[in-house]
Amino acid sequence: MKEVVAKPLNKPITSQAGLMGVARSLPQPEGTKYPYELVIVHGLTAYVAGQIPKQNGELAYTGKVGQDLKIEEAIASARICSHQVLAWLNYSAGGLENLDRLLRMTCYVAHDDSFENISEVADGASNYLIDTLGDQGRHVRAVVGVKSLPRNAPVLVEVTASLLAPV
């Protein structure tokens, strides 16, 4: 499988101009054919549905961590999921310049019984968001190990964010 990794910026971006630069570098967000919304904005809160490691319409990684994927591939998957979260916030929540801060991230990791480092996988998502957004990317989080995820994805990341203005 071809390895595709979302790369963080060299230093955290917290200025409006910096956020606009990040926004310009984001891909078109990956959609779904299933009957749910990918982002709901209610007041000043944006809820981003669980993102799997999709790029160019396909999953970049599939399988269970510990069985089909090494931890490095799982971490890369989590980073891609976080990259998609930012793409959706940019597209549906008034742009990244409308982002006040991330509030909560939940990371689900599909793994076999021998794999115990699910927090390290989630660190890939957390570190990407903090490296890219600076303090605005800091968040509380939950990490959940599961038997399987949609489309045989190894990782799924969902985020709740606070906005500066309603959209």
Side-chain angles (χ1 to χ4, degrees), residues 108-125:
Y108 299 88
V109 180
H111 63 92
D112 72 1
D113 290 339
S114 69
F115 186 79
E116 298 177 349
N117 298 326
I118 61 173
S119 289
E120 192 173 339
V121 174
D123 288 345

Side-chain angles (χ1 to χ4, degrees), residues 29-46:
E30 298 280 344
T32 184
K33 63 181 180 179
Y34 301 102
Y36 64 90
E37 298 297 322
L38 289 158
V39 178
I40 295 282
V41 176
H42 183 75
L44 295 177
T45 305

Side-chain angles (χ1 to χ4, degrees), residues 6-18:
K7 296 180 182 175
L9 301 173
N10 290 332
K11 54 194 255 187
I13 302 296
T14 55
S15 71
Q16 292 299 324

Side-chain angles (χ1 to χ4, degrees), residues 41-57:
V41 176
H42 183 75
L44 295 177
T45 305
Y47 302 90
V48 182
Q51 298 297 301
I52 56 179
K54 284 173 61 176
Q55 290 184 318
N56 302 316

Side-chain angles (χ1 to χ4, degrees), residues 4-5 13 23 59 99 105 114 123 132 149 162:
V4 184
V5 178
I13 302 296
L59 283 173
L99 178 65
M105 179 191 83
S114 69
D123 288 345
T132 302
L149 288 167
S162 175

